[in-house]
Amino acid sequence: MRLAIIGAGINGIMSGWALLEEGHDVVMFEQADPMGATSSASTKLLHGGLRYLEHGDFALVREGLRARAWWLERAPQHTRSIEIAIPVYRDSARSRLTLKAGLVAYEFLAGRYRLGGHYWLNGTDLLQRVPHLRSNGLRGAYLFQDGQMNDRALGNWALSQIVGMGAEVVSPVYVERIDTDGVVVTSQGKQKFDGVINACGPWAAALLQRSNVSSRHGLDLIRGSHLLVARRHECGFLVESPDDARPCFVLPYEGYTLIGTTEVRQALDEPIECSEQEIAYLSRVYEAFFDDKLEPAGVVSTFAGVRPLVASAEREVSAMTRESAIECQGRILTIFGGKWTTSRELGLRVAIMAHDWN
Ligand SMILES: Cc1cc2nc3c(=O)[nH]c(=O)nc-3n(C[C@H](O)[C@H](O)[C@H](O)COP(=O)(O)OP(=O)(O)OC[C@H]3O[C@@H](n4cnc5c(N)ncnc54)[C@H](O)[C@@H]3O)c2cc1C
């Protein structure tokens, strides 16, 4: 079949990968730079997501941990394993026991794809390793292994793989409308395909709306921002925000430290950028755990992306906690949501659903 993919973020690229493996022809339309939107504004973790365990989403965590192994093995040049410390204080919202249970479950779910066992460091040993960590009330920390990537470079590597397999990338071209017979309308004209994959990330629901195609799912758009600061840390940290106890990451990244992330409701017509309030929130996170003050000049850059969270008409079902959904309307498959780490699995599901178009 000849298939169109709208959107060259990681979900579009990995859908293309799976469809090419099945012998289809793939044409990708991208309005701006491939890998230039949400997929290069992530926290850069290849992970199962420890926090999903708090919601009992074991299947999701397991899928993420297996997917992590796939990326680490396939593209070691853009990925690595990273040690992350979870400091425990007298006033931490999550107790040592809760964290221990979470880490045991995390490693159990990884099975043979486990990256290494977690361990406990008491306060004295931890401060020897990280002297500028806040010592007041410190009990110690759990340290565990997870995956880290350069998201843009890894996504571009995946893109080069699918171009090598024969994908055609048409960019920059804005897709105005699609229809359920497989027609794609751009400023350059109309083209008919055997099927269309709507992989527009945060813009997926808007494309359907513009095309007058109704869907059961929608998207809640939540911005997440990060700071890149001129600090060097040997390992990563998963800490609780002093404002609301949300988990935040402080991670070594490309010679800097990455701090994130926030959760702010976002409209599609607003600029996707880190606000002053978010800079202040993330600085407070950092300064609550490390002795050095973050001067404004220490912030090298900021970036923001919009999480496309699946919202369903059937609100009472577990749909709100689902990371992704793929909905079919005639010859359109729309991807709602999805994590970077599990984009390969999402792509494989897209390819299976596309069988129905044969
Ligand atoms: C703050 C934040 C942190 C995250 N951290 C992690 C993490 O650490 N690990 C993890 O696994 N996941 C993480 N995620 C989730 C992950 O980044 C996203 O789920 C994933 O990148 C979404 O990819 P996508 O391809 O669906 O969307 P995008 O990357 O946004 O791609 C969609 C593409 O479609 C294009 N497009 C849109 N409309 C049109 C149109 N009309 N015509 C042509 N092209 C169009 C856009 O330009 C864009 O390039 C994070 C997300 C956020 C927001």
Side-chain angles (χ1 to χ4, degrees), residues 10-41:
I10 197 60
N11 284 326
I13 293 169
M14 295 315 290
S15 298
W17 188 315
L19 291 164
L20 287 156
E21 280 177 336
E22 298 234 330
H24 303 299
D25 292 328
V26 165
V27 181
M28 290 187 87
F29 295 89
E30 168 55 52
Q31 65 182 355
D33 278 346
M35 284 300 298
T38 326
S39 299
S40 53

PDB file of all heavy atoms in Angstrom, residues 10-41:
ATOM      1  N   ILE A  10       8.629  11.538  16.730  1.00  0.00           N
ATOM      2  CA  ILE A  10       9.072  10.150  16.917  1.00  0.00           C
ATOM      3  C   ILE A  10       7.949   9.153  16.628  1.00  0.00           C
ATOM      4  O   ILE A  10       8.196   8.062  16.091  1.00  0.00           O
ATOM      5  CB  ILE A  10       9.713   9.939  18.312  1.00  0.00           C
ATOM      6  CG1 ILE A  10      10.515   8.643  18.315  1.00  0.00           C
ATOM      7  CG2 ILE A  10       8.685   9.935  19.441  1.00  0.00           C
ATOM      8  CD1 ILE A  10      11.633   8.569  17.318  1.00  0.00           C
ATOM      9  N   ASN A  11       6.689   9.516  16.910  1.00  0.00           N
ATOM     10  CA  ASN A  11       5.602   8.558  16.641  1.00  0.00           C
ATOM     11  C   ASN A  11       5.357   8.377  15.153  1.00  0.00           C
ATOM     12  O   ASN A  11       5.068   7.263  14.699  1.00  0.00           O
ATOM     13  CB  ASN A  11       4.318   8.994  17.369  1.00  0.00           C
ATOM     14  CG  ASN A  11       4.395   8.693  18.848  1.00  0.00           C
ATOM     15  OD1 ASN A  11       4.997   7.699  19.247  1.00  0.00           O
ATOM     16  ND2 ASN A  11       3.815   9.556  19.674  1.00  0.00           N
ATOM     17  N   GLY A  12       5.477   9.456  14.382  1.00  0.00           N
ATOM     18  CA  GLY A  12       5.347   9.329  12.928  1.00  0.00           C
ATOM     19  C   GLY A  12       6.498   8.505  12.365  1.00  0.00           C
ATOM     20  O   GLY A  12       6.309   7.602  11.537  1.00  0.00           O
ATOM     21  N   ILE A  13       7.704   8.799  12.827  1.00  0.00           N
ATOM     22  CA  ILE A  13       8.894   8.101  12.313  1.00  0.00           C
ATOM     23  C   ILE A  13       8.820   6.602  12.626  1.00  0.00           C
ATOM     24  O   ILE A  13       9.057   5.748  11.762  1.00  0.00           O
ATOM     25  CB  ILE A  13      10.175   8.728  12.912  1.00  0.00           C
ATOM     26  CG1 ILE A  13      10.347  10.154  12.373  1.00  0.00           C
ATOM     27  CG2 ILE A  13      11.399   7.876  12.616  1.00  0.00           C
ATOM     28  CD1 ILE A  13      11.414  10.978  13.082  1.00  0.00           C
ATOM     29  N   MET A  14       8.445   6.261  13.869  1.00  0.00           N
ATOM     30  CA  MET A  14       8.428   4.844  14.243  1.00  0.00           C
ATOM     31  C   MET A  14       7.235   4.105  13.628  1.00  0.00           C
ATOM     32  O   MET A  14       7.298   2.894  13.409  1.00  0.00           O
ATOM     33  CB  MET A  14       8.478   4.676  15.758  1.00  0.00           C
ATOM     34  CG  MET A  14       9.783   5.184  16.379  1.00  0.00           C
ATOM     35  SD  MET A  14      11.292   4.677  15.495  1.00  0.00           S
ATOM     36  CE  MET A  14      11.342   2.930  15.863  1.00  0.00           C
ATOM     37  N   SER A  15       6.169   4.834  13.309  1.00  0.00           N
ATOM     38  CA  SER A  15       5.078   4.208  12.544  1.00  0.00           C
ATOM     39  C   SER A  15       5.598   3.904  11.147  1.00  0.00           C
ATOM     40  O   SER A  15       5.353   2.824  10.590  1.00  0.00           O
ATOM     41  CB  SER A  15       3.870   5.149  12.447  1.00  0.00           C
ATOM     42  OG  SER A  15       3.359   5.416  13.730  1.00  0.00           O
ATOM     43  N   GLY A  16       6.338   4.874  10.591  1.00  0.00           N
ATOM     44  CA  GLY A  16       6.915   4.667   9.257  1.00  0.00           C
ATOM     45  C   GLY A  16       7.833   3.456   9.250  1.00  0.00           C
ATOM     46  O   GLY A  16       7.799   2.620   8.339  1.00  0.00           O
ATOM     47  N   TRP A  17       8.634   3.321  10.280  1.00  0.00           N
ATOM     48  CA  TRP A  17       9.589   2.192  10.390  1.00  0.00           C
ATOM     49  C   TRP A  17       8.812   0.869  10.297  1.00  0.00           C
ATOM     50  O   TRP A  17       9.137  -0.016   9.497  1.00  0.00           O
ATOM     51  CB  TRP A  17      10.337   2.320  11.706  1.00  0.00           C
ATOM     52  CG  TRP A  17      11.479   1.360  11.918  1.00  0.00           C
ATOM     53  CD1 TRP A  17      11.473   0.013  11.674  1.00  0.00           C
ATOM     54  CD2 TRP A  17      12.795   1.666  12.415  1.00  0.00           C
ATOM     55  NE1 TRP A  17      12.682  -0.535  11.997  1.00  0.00           N
ATOM     56  CE2 TRP A  17      13.510   0.450  12.453  1.00  0.00           C
ATOM     57  CE3 TRP A  17      13.421   2.820  12.843  1.00  0.00           C
ATOM     58  CZ2 TRP A  17      14.842   0.378  12.904  1.00  0.00           C
ATOM     59  CZ3 TRP A  17      14.752   2.735  13.293  1.00  0.00           C
ATOM     60  CH2 TRP A  17      15.447   1.536  13.319  1.00  0.00           C
ATOM     61  N   ALA A  18       7.772   0.754  11.124  1.00  0.00           N
ATOM     62  CA  ALA A  18       7.014  -0.514  11.169  1.00  0.00           C
ATOM     63  C   ALA A  18       6.286  -0.760   9.840  1.00  0.00           C
ATOM     64  O   ALA A  18       6.211  -1.908   9.369  1.00  0.00           O
ATOM     65  CB  ALA A  18       6.016  -0.467  12.324  1.00  0.00           C
ATOM     66  N   LEU A  19       5.768   0.279   9.220  1.00  0.00           N
ATOM     67  CA  LEU A  19       5.040   0.107   7.949  1.00  0.00           C
ATOM     68  C   LEU A  19       5.992  -0.267   6.821  1.00  0.00           C
ATOM     69  O   LEU A  19       5.668  -1.097   5.962  1.00  0.00           O
ATOM     70  CB  LEU A  19       4.276   1.401   7.609  1.00  0.00           C
ATOM     71  CG  LEU A  19       3.097   1.694   8.552  1.00  0.00           C
ATOM     72  CD1 LEU A  19       2.635   3.143   8.433  1.00  0.00           C
ATOM     73  CD2 LEU A  19       1.929   0.741   8.269  1.00  0.00           C
ATOM     74  N   LEU A  20       7.188   0.320   6.827  1.00  0.00           N
ATOM     75  CA  LEU A  20       8.184  -0.025   5.804  1.00  0.00           C
ATOM     76  C   LEU A  20       8.620  -1.481   5.951  1.00  0.00           C
ATOM     77  O   LEU A  20       8.810  -2.191   4.970  1.00  0.00           O
ATOM     78  CB  LEU A  20       9.397   0.905   5.912  1.00  0.00           C
ATOM     79  CG  LEU A  20       9.143   2.332   5.409  1.00  0.00           C
ATOM     80  CD1 LEU A  20      10.114   3.313   6.059  1.00  0.00           C
ATOM     81  CD2 LEU A  20       9.258   2.411   3.884  1.00  0.00           C
ATOM     82  N   GLU A  21       8.750  -1.920   7.203  1.00  0.00           N
ATOM     83  CA  GLU A  21       9.128  -3.328   7.442  1.00  0.00           C
ATOM     84  C   GLU A  21       8.081  -4.284   6.866  1.00  0.00           C
ATOM     85  O   GLU A  21       8.382  -5.416   6.534  1.00  0.00           O
ATOM     86  CB  GLU A  21       9.279  -3.595   8.950  1.00  0.00           C
ATOM     87  CG  GLU A  21      10.603  -3.113   9.508  1.00  0.00           C
ATOM     88  CD  GLU A  21      10.723  -3.311  11.025  1.00  0.00           C
ATOM     89  OE1 GLU A  21       9.685  -3.378  11.721  1.00  0.00           O
ATOM     90  OE2 GLU A  21      11.858  -3.379  11.505  1.00  0.00           O
ATOM     91  N   GLU A  22       6.841  -3.809   6.783  1.00  0.00           N
ATOM     92  CA  GLU A  22       5.778  -4.658   6.224  1.00  0.00           C
ATOM     93  C   GLU A  22       5.688  -4.533   4.715  1.00  0.00           C
ATOM     94  O   GLU A  22       4.765  -5.061   4.087  1.00  0.00           O
ATOM     95  CB  GLU A  22       4.442  -4.252   6.837  1.00  0.00           C
ATOM     96  CG  GLU A  22       4.413  -4.448   8.321  1.00  0.00           C
ATOM     97  CD  GLU A  22       3.248  -5.292   8.795  1.00  0.00           C
ATOM     98  OE1 GLU A  22       2.204  -5.258   8.128  1.00  0.00           O
ATOM     99  OE2 GLU A  22       3.419  -5.976   9.810  1.00  0.00           O
ATOM    100  N   GLY A  23       6.582  -3.737   4.130  1.00  0.00           N
ATOM    101  CA  GLY A  23       6.648  -3.647   2.681  1.00  0.00           C
ATOM    102  C   GLY A  23       5.802  -2.539   2.069  1.00  0.00           C
ATOM    103  O   GLY A  23       5.635  -2.487   0.849  1.00  0.00           O
ATOM    104  N   HIS A  24       5.262  -1.632   2.886  1.00  0.00           N
ATOM    105  CA  HIS A  24       4.468  -0.533   2.334  1.00  0.00           C
ATOM    106  C   HIS A  24       5.366   0.607   1.859  1.00  0.00           C
ATOM    107  O   HIS A  24       6.504   0.733   2.299  1.00  0.00           O
ATOM    108  CB  HIS A  24       3.491  -0.001   3.386  1.00  0.00           C
ATOM    109  CG  HIS A  24       2.583  -1.061   3.929  1.00  0.00           C
ATOM    110  ND1 HIS A  24       1.714  -1.764   3.126  1.00  0.00           N
ATOM    111  CD2 HIS A  24       2.417  -1.553   5.189  1.00  0.00           C
ATOM    112  CE1 HIS A  24       1.054  -2.645   3.874  1.00  0.00           C
ATOM    113  NE2 HIS A  24       1.467  -2.541   5.118  1.00  0.00           N
ATOM    114  N   ASP A  25       4.807   1.460   0.996  1.00  0.00           N
ATOM    115  CA  ASP A  25       5.500   2.703   0.619  1.00  0.00           C
ATOM    116  C   ASP A  25       5.022   3.792   1.564  1.00  0.00           C
ATOM    117  O   ASP A  25       3.822   3.876   1.860  1.00  0.00           O
ATOM    118  CB  ASP A  25       5.158   3.103  -0.819  1.00  0.00           C
ATOM    119  CG  ASP A  25       5.749   2.117  -1.818  1.00  0.00           C
ATOM    120  OD1 ASP A  25       6.822   1.569  -1.510  1.00  0.00           O
ATOM    121  OD2 ASP A  25       5.111   1.881  -2.863  1.00  0.00           O
ATOM    122  N   VAL A  26       5.948   4.637   2.011  1.00  0.00           N
ATOM    123  CA  VAL A  26       5.603   5.646   3.018  1.00  0.00           C
ATOM    124  C   VAL A  26       6.025   7.039   2.548  1.00  0.00           C
ATOM    125  O   VAL A  26       7.165   7.240   2.128  1.00  0.00           O
ATOM    126  CB  VAL A  26       6.315   5.305   4.355  1.00  0.00           C
ATOM    127  CG1 VAL A  26       6.300   6.493   5.307  1.00  0.00           C
ATOM    128  CG2 VAL A  26       5.671   4.086   5.017  1.00  0.00           C
ATOM    129  N   VAL A  27       5.082   7.980   2.607  1.00  0.00           N
ATOM    130  CA  VAL A  27       5.393   9.393   2.346  1.00  0.00           C
ATOM    131  C   VAL A  27       5.058  10.164   3.617  1.00  0.00           C
ATOM    132  O   VAL A  27       3.931  10.088   4.118  1.00  0.00           O
ATOM    133  CB  VAL A  27       4.553   9.953   1.170  1.00  0.00           C
ATOM    134  CG1 VAL A  27       4.910  11.415   0.900  1.00  0.00           C
ATOM    135  CG2 VAL A  27       4.735   9.111  -0.086  1.00  0.00           C
ATOM    136  N   MET A  28       6.055  10.900   4.174  1.00  0.00           N
ATOM    137  CA  MET A  28       5.812  11.661   5.422  1.00  0.00           C
ATOM    138  C   MET A  28       5.710  13.139   5.101  1.00  0.00           C
ATOM    139  O   MET A  28       6.556  13.681   4.388  1.00  0.00           O
ATOM    140  CB  MET A  28       6.984  11.511   6.392  1.00  0.00           C
ATOM    141  CG  MET A  28       7.115  10.157   6.989  1.00  0.00           C
ATOM    142  SD  MET A  28       8.407  10.176   8.253  1.00  0.00           S
ATOM    143  CE  MET A  28       7.460  10.692   9.628  1.00  0.00           C
ATOM    144  N   PHE A  29       4.694  13.780   5.676  1.00  0.00           N
ATOM    145  CA  PHE A  29       4.534  15.227   5.519  1.00  0.00           C
ATOM    146  C   PHE A  29       4.849  15.895   6.851  1.00  0.00           C
ATOM    147  O   PHE A  29       4.284  15.508   7.883  1.00  0.00           O
ATOM    148  CB  PHE A  29       3.090  15.570   5.127  1.00  0.00           C
ATOM    149  CG  PHE A  29       2.698  15.050   3.772  1.00  0.00           C
ATOM    150  CD1 PHE A  29       2.151  13.777   3.619  1.00  0.00           C
ATOM    151  CD2 PHE A  29       2.873  15.837   2.642  1.00  0.00           C
ATOM    152  CE1 PHE A  29       1.782  13.294   2.370  1.00  0.00           C
ATOM    153  CE2 PHE A  29       2.506  15.365   1.386  1.00  0.00           C
ATOM    154  CZ  PHE A  29       1.963  14.085   1.246  1.00  0.00           C
ATOM    155  N   GLU A  30       5.708  16.897   6.831  1.00  0.00           N
ATOM    156  CA  GLU A  30       6.061  17.598   8.079  1.00  0.00           C
ATOM    157  C   GLU A  30       6.012  19.104   7.802  1.00  0.00           C
ATOM    158  O   GLU A  30       6.612  19.585   6.850  1.00  0.00           O
ATOM    159  CB  GLU A  30       7.452  17.150   8.548  1.00  0.00           C
ATOM    160  CG  GLU A  30       8.068  17.995   9.646  1.00  0.00           C
ATOM    161  CD  GLU A  30       7.204  18.158  10.902  1.00  0.00           C
ATOM    162  OE1 GLU A  30       6.746  17.151  11.461  1.00  0.00           O
ATOM    163  OE2 GLU A  30       6.993  19.326  11.313  1.00  0.00           O
ATOM    164  N   GLN A  31       5.314  19.814   8.692  1.00  0.00           N
ATOM    165  CA  GLN A  31       5.130  21.252   8.468  1.00  0.00           C
ATOM    166  C   GLN A  31       6.385  22.081   8.782  1.00  0.00           C
ATOM    167  O   GLN A  31       6.534  23.188   8.281  1.00  0.00           O
ATOM    168  CB  GLN A  31       3.983  21.771   9.334  1.00  0.00           C
ATOM    169  CG  GLN A  31       4.237  21.687  10.831  1.00  0.00           C
ATOM    170  CD  GLN A  31       3.079  22.153  11.691  1.00  0.00           C
ATOM    171  OE1 GLN A  31       2.085  22.630  11.173  1.00  0.00           O
ATOM    172  NE2 GLN A  31       3.205  22.009  12.998  1.00  0.00           N
ATOM    173  N   ALA A  32       7.267  21.556   9.624  1.00  0.00           N
ATOM    174  CA  ALA A  32       8.466  22.324  10.014  1.00  0.00           C
ATOM    175  C   ALA A  32       9.675  21.392   9.919  1.00  0.00           C
ATOM    176  O   ALA A  32       9.808  20.655   8.953  1.00  0.00           O
ATOM    177  CB  ALA A  32       8.275  22.878  11.420  1.00  0.00           C
ATOM    178  N   ASP A  33      10.546  21.411  10.945  1.00  0.00           N
ATOM    179  CA  ASP A  33      11.702  20.500  10.944  1.00  0.00           C
ATOM    180  C   ASP A  33      11.288  19.140  11.463  1.00  0.00           C
ATOM    181  O   ASP A  33      10.657  19.068  12.533  1.00  0.00           O
ATOM    182  CB  ASP A  33      12.753  21.002  11.939  1.00  0.00           C
ATOM    183  CG  ASP A  33      13.599  22.082  11.351  1.00  0.00           C
ATOM    184  OD1 ASP A  33      13.559  22.248  10.120  1.00  0.00           O
ATOM    185  OD2 ASP A  33      14.283  22.766  12.143  1.00  0.00           O
ATOM    186  N   PRO A  34      11.662  18.043  10.794  1.00  0.00           N
ATOM    187  CA  PRO A  34      11.450  16.736  11.410  1.00  0.00           C
ATOM    188  C   PRO A  34      12.098  16.719  12.805  1.00  0.00           C
ATOM    189  O   PRO A  34      13.173  17.305  13.005  1.00  0.00           O
ATOM    190  CB  PRO A  34      12.169  15.773  10.458  1.00  0.00           C
ATOM    191  CG  PRO A  34      12.182  16.469   9.141  1.00  0.00           C
ATOM    192  CD  PRO A  34      12.280  17.930   9.458  1.00  0.00           C
ATOM    193  N   MET A  35      11.449  16.109  13.755  1.00  0.00           N
ATOM    194  CA  MET A  35      11.946  16.012  15.140  1.00  0.00           C
ATOM    195  C   MET A  35      12.109  17.384  15.801  1.00  0.00           C
ATOM    196  O   MET A  35      12.843  17.515  16.779  1.00  0.00           O
ATOM    197  CB  MET A  35      13.296  15.269  15.191  1.00  0.00           C
ATOM    198  CG  MET A  35      13.200  13.779  15.034  1.00  0.00           C
ATOM    199  SD  MET A  35      12.196  12.985  16.296  1.00  0.00           S
ATOM    200  CE  MET A  35      13.070  13.365  17.790  1.00  0.00           C
ATOM    201  N   GLY A  36      11.400  18.392  15.310  1.00  0.00           N
ATOM    202  CA  GLY A  36      11.607  19.738  15.854  1.00  0.00           C
ATOM    203  C   GLY A  36      10.595  20.131  16.918  1.00  0.00           C
ATOM    204  O   GLY A  36      10.728  21.194  17.517  1.00  0.00           O
ATOM    205  N   ALA A  37       9.577  19.301  17.192  1.00  0.00           N
ATOM    206  CA  ALA A  37       8.531  19.710  18.140  1.00  0.00           C
ATOM    207  C   ALA A  37       8.671  18.940  19.462  1.00  0.00           C
ATOM    208  O   ALA A  37       9.761  18.868  20.035  1.00  0.00           O
ATOM    209  CB  ALA A  37       7.150  19.539  17.497  1.00  0.00           C
ATOM    210  N   THR A  38       7.587  18.326  19.913  1.00  0.00           N
ATOM    211  CA  THR A  38       7.576  17.668  21.229  1.00  0.00           C
ATOM    212  C   THR A  38       8.724  16.673  21.400  1.00  0.00           C
ATOM    213  O   THR A  38       9.304  16.563  22.491  1.00  0.00           O
ATOM    214  CB  THR A  38       6.248  16.889  21.405  1.00  0.00           C
ATOM    215  OG1 THR A  38       5.208  17.594  20.751  1.00  0.00           O
ATOM    216  CG2 THR A  38       5.927  16.672  22.859  1.00  0.00           C
ATOM    217  N   SER A  39       9.032  15.957  20.330  1.00  0.00           N
ATOM    218  CA  SER A  39       9.982  14.848  20.445  1.00  0.00           C
ATOM    219  C   SER A  39      11.407  15.286  20.736  1.00  0.00           C
ATOM    220  O   SER A  39      12.255  14.462  21.083  1.00  0.00           O
ATOM    221  CB  SER A  39       9.936  13.991  19.170  1.00  0.00           C
ATOM    222  OG  SER A  39       8.652  13.461  19.019  1.00  0.00           O
ATOM    223  N   SER A  40      11.713  16.591  20.574  1.00  0.00           N
ATOM    224  CA  SER A  40      13.050  17.044  20.965  1.00  0.00           C
ATOM    225  C   SER A  40      12.965  17.941  22.202  1.00  0.00           C
ATOM    226  O   SER A  40      13.913  18.649  22.520  1.00  0.00           O
ATOM    227  CB  SER A  40      13.741  17.774  19.810  1.00  0.00           C
ATOM    228  OG  SER A  40      12.917  18.795  19.320  1.00  0.00           O
ATOM    229  N   ALA A  41      11.815  17.918  22.883  1.00  0.00           N
ATOM    230  CA  ALA A  41      11.649  18.748  24.090  1.00  0.00           C
ATOM    231  C   ALA A  41      11.309  17.870  25.296  1.00  0.00           C
ATOM    232  O   ALA A  41      10.631  18.313  26.222  1.00  0.00           O
ATOM    233  CB  ALA A  41      10.550  19.780  23.859  1.00  0.00           C
TER     234      ALA A  41
END
